Amino acid sequence: MNKNSSNTMALAPNTSNKRETVCIFGTGDFGRALGHKMIQSGYPVVYGSRSTQTSSLIPKDAEVLSHAEAAQKAAVIIIAVQRQHYNFLTPLAEILHGKVLVDISNNLKINQYPDSNAEYLAQLVPGAKVVKAFNTVSAWALQSGTLDASRQVFVCGNDIEAKQMVMDIVRALGLTPLDQGSLLAAREIENYPLQLFPMWKFPILLSLGLTAFFFFYCLIRDVIYPYIYENKDFSFFIAISIPNRICPVLALILLALVYVPGVLAAIIQLYRGTKYRRFPDWLDKWMLCRKQLGLVALAFASLHVLYTLVIPIRSFVRWRISSQTISQAQKNETEPLNITNAWLSDSYLALGILGFFLFILLGITSLPSVSNNVNWREFRFVQSKLGYLTLVLCTAHTLVYGGKWFLSPSSYRWYLPNAYMLSLIVPCIVLVLKFVLIFPCLDKPLTQIRQGWERNPQYSE
Ligand code: NAP
């Protein structure tokens, strides 16, 4: 019986597919783009506008009426009007009573008003059920169909049924609603589109600062010093040699900085004997941008690889090799192969290749599409264990590159060590601290603390 009835249901015309009329106040850019998308998805659309004359820009299947007439035709009304014009809604309060008003508005500045636009709307029309949605989707993306980057629509509101109705519309448009809770969340949702890569600010500023510092550092050591003391013009080093010194230095320092907050957090927790006290603000912020720091580090490492690949075709390098060959030919002698140097050079390259491979693996697993497909333990394994292995390999790559030059006086022009020597400071400190922290006498209490144990419990029974 069940089987039959389900078959009959499947064959019967699906009356539930008929969509309810949606009203849109405002025939501006967003109102038109959203109306267009809604009509495509099967929703009858009626516009409420100050002028009832239709224009060629308005979707041709939509009706344009006065605000009051349009509002009467739908249970859901989308307010595609700027906040500063919301006053026109006050005389319509009676008609809007019980209706679902969707606030899609954005502001020009973060926290521009003391209350969110959605809360302001709810206060203006107290009888309506206000839901915040769609503000993170742009009119252009709606119209052009390039919604991949902004498929998620944050939705919030105090009335669960109203929120559900709006989320159903969002889904019908092929977007993904994300329930953010009550209308209190509206402020944050309104600030969201105004943020300019908030997590990237610190990593980008830090890498710009470090790049400037190391550029001038290398310029002084590798261009100005030989010019003054040896009368040699190495100014062309600015194009490839100096960037190829800065990139690995920054990649290593930034990668090490990804692991510094974890080590600091462990030390703080051990010292306090609890995990229930908040970390200082700066440490919290640092922890939140570790992924971005790692990705910037990966970008520098990739540039280093590219710069290294062109070394053999550089005119300066070819000139140096040919002059060494000619000088050997003139002296009629062949330099024997230095096995130590060959070992150092091969090991340095091998460590670099392996380090870069793991670095890429870390970068790939940090992509949302990949990280969403691994569980928390797998993600932690890759980011922490493989991450530390990457740091060890890249640090070893730099140490072997230095080889026997660490103690050579020629490495200290004007008492300035080579840039790669400076780059080893942070990673070596991080690795030593991490090594100390895995000793059982520290690791055991730390694990207990992270499982909730406290040295001096605040709320003892
Ligand atoms: P818009 O092009 O300036 O259109 C706003 C519409 O509001 C006008 O076309 C007009 O429609 C109506 N309006 C203007 N003054 C009015 C008044 N005094 N009283 C009543 N209605 C008035 O703006 P928009 O780009 O469509 O943006 C509309 C809302 O969507 C804004 O709150 C914005 O923050 C939000 N939003 C926009 C985008 C986007 O990409 N554009 C993205 C997300 C959110 P009528 O002439 O038909 O009355």
Side-chain angles (χ1 to χ4, degrees):
M1 181 233 162
N2 273 350
K3 205 176 170 195
N4 277 346
S5 64
S6 68
N7 281 347
T8 324
M9 290 265 289
L11 290 168
N14 192 353
T15 43
S16 64
N17 264 354
K18 186 163 179 348
R19 313 263 196 213
E20 297 281 333
T21 301
V22 175
C23 169
I24 300 176
F25 278 182
T27 55
D29 292 339
F30 198 80
R32 289 195 312 269
L34 192 61
H36 194 72
K37 185 88 185 156
M38 287 196 159
I39 289 170
Q40 276 181 345
S41 310
Y43 284 96
V45 170
V46 55
Y47 282 99
S49 173
R50 292 166 302 169
S51 152
T52 51
Q53 277 180 340
T54 49
S55 88
S56 59
L57 291 172
I58 295 173
K60 73 172 176 358
D61 293 324
E63 251 187 299
V64 185
L65 303 171
S66 70
H67 291 122
E69 285 171 323
Q72 275 160 349
K73 294 210 167 196
V76 177
I77 301 167
I78 293 165
I79 315 292
V81 176
Q82 313 280 355
R83 169 187 168 134
Q84 59 270 30
H85 304 309
Y86 279 3
N87 285 340
F88 81 97
L89 293 166
T90 320
L92 300 170
E94 213 173 297
I95 298 170
L96 298 178
H97 191 89
K99 305 266 181 190
V100 177
L101 297 192
V102 187
D103 183 290
I104 59 159
S105 61
N106 282 319
N107 294 321
L108 291 176
K109 280 192 265 167
I110 290 184
N111 296 331
Q112 188 173 351
Y113 301 101
D115 54 353
S116 69
N117 298 350
E119 287 167 306
Y120 172 63
L121 180 62
Q123 198 192 315
L124 274 182
V125 194
K129 299 162 190 168
V130 174
V131 175
K132 180 93 208 173
F134 290 114
N135 68 309
T136 50
V137 182
S138 79
W140 178 82
L142 271 177
Q143 206 142 24
S144 59
T146 49
L147 277 162
D148 279 354
S150 50
R151 216 164 258 284
Q152 294 179 336
V153 174
F154 298 119
V155 182
C156 75
N158 295 339
D159 188 295
I160 295 181
E161 221 175 296
K163 198 158 58 172
Q164 201 53 52
M165 283 168 85
V166 176
M167 299 217 290
D168 287 344
I169 295 179
V170 172
R171 263 185 228 107
L173 299 188
L175 306 169
T176 313
L178 289 181
D179 189 348
Q180 300 291 296
S182 77
L183 215 54
L184 286 176
R187 196 178 175 78
E188 205 171 309
I189 299 179
E190 283 167 18
N191 283 338
Y192 183 76
L194 296 170
Q195 287 170 346
L196 188 68
F197 304 120
M199 292 300 155
W200 287 92
K201 219 180 254 173
F202 172 64
I204 299 277
L205 286 177
L206 181 71
S207 41
L208 283 178
L210 285 174
T211 305
F213 170 76
F214 280 108
F215 175 79
F216 288 112
Y217 190 86
C218 294
L219 194 72
I220 293 170
R221 277 194 87 256
D222 304 329
V223 178
I224 300 178
Y225 181 92
Y227 186 74
I228 293 178
Y229 286 98
E230 296 158 23
N231 202 21
K232 285 182 181 162
D233 181 5
F234 285 145
S235 54
F236 61 91
F237 274 9
I238 290 173
I240 290 188
S241 298
I242 291 185
N244 200 21
R245 256 162 232 180
I246 296 172
C247 287
V249 163
L250 257 79
L252 187 58
I253 294 178
L254 294 176
L255 180 64
L257 288 178
V258 171
Y259 294 96
V260 173
V263 169
L264 287 180
I267 295 171
I268 291 175
Q269 284 177 334
L270 275 173
Y271 173 75
R272 289 174 173 173
T274 176
K275 69 165 186 178
Y276 295 115
R277 270 173 61 197
R278 280 202 56 177
F279 292 126
D281 244 17
W282 56 266
L283 188 57
D284 264 343
K285 284 188 187 143
W286 192 346
M287 288 212 190
L288 286 176
C289 65
R290 281 181 293 182
K291 173 180 155 181
Q292 287 74 7
L293 271 174
L295 288 175
V296 178
L298 176 57
F300 279 110
S302 311
L303 276 177
H304 172 48
V305 170
L306 288 180
Y307 277 121
T308 306
L309 287 178
V310 300
I311 287 178
I313 56 168
R314 288 180 64 202
S315 152
F316 170 67
V317 174
R318 280 187 291 142
W319 168 82
R320 209 170 52 182
I321 293 171
S322 58
S323 40
Q324 274 168 0
T325 316
I326 291 165
S327 115
Q328 282 184 37
Q330 279 172 344
K331 289 185 204 154
N332 198 18
E333 59 186 32
T334 313
E335 263 180 35
L337 175 68
N338 184 329
I339 299 292
T340 315
N341 278 353
W343 259 108
L344 279 176
S345 143
D346 279 9
S347 325
Y348 142 73
L349 290 171
L351 288 164
I353 292 168
L354 290 174
F356 185 63
F357 173 73
L358 288 185
F359 218 145
I360 290 190
L361 211 63
L362 286 180
I364 292 174
T365 46
S366 75
L367 296 174
S369 52
V370 179
S371 59
N372 288 347
N373 283 311
V374 292
N375 66 30
W376 176 235
R377 197 161 172 215
E378 290 162 347
F379 182 75
R380 277 208 44 183
F381 172 79
V382 174
Q383 293 299 325
S384 174
K385 302 278 188 304
L386 288 191
Y388 268 109
L389 184 58
T390 313
L391 186 60
V392 168
L393 286 173
C394 294
T395 309
H397 167 69
T398 315
L399 279 167
V400 178
Y401 170 75
K404 46 193 182 189
W405 297 105
F406 278 102
L407 298 174
S408 158
S410 66
S411 300
Y412 297 87
R413 296 173 179 172
W414 279 329
Y415 302 106
L416 299 174
N418 238 309
Y420 71 84
M421 295 183 189
L422 296 183
S423 77
L424 284 164
I425 298 172
V426 187
C428 288
I429 293 175
V430 174
L431 290 175
V432 169
L433 287 176
K434 182 68 188 171
F435 181 69
V436 173
L437 283 170
I438 53 176
F439 276 92
C441 58
L442 294 175
D443 185 49
K444 230 170 126 191
L446 187 62
T447 312
Q448 283 176 332
I449 289 170
R450 288 183 173 167
Q451 283 168 348
W453 175 83
E454 287 186 281
R455 200 182 302 128
N456 301 310
Q458 209 180 343
Y459 305 105
S460 43
E461 285 164 35

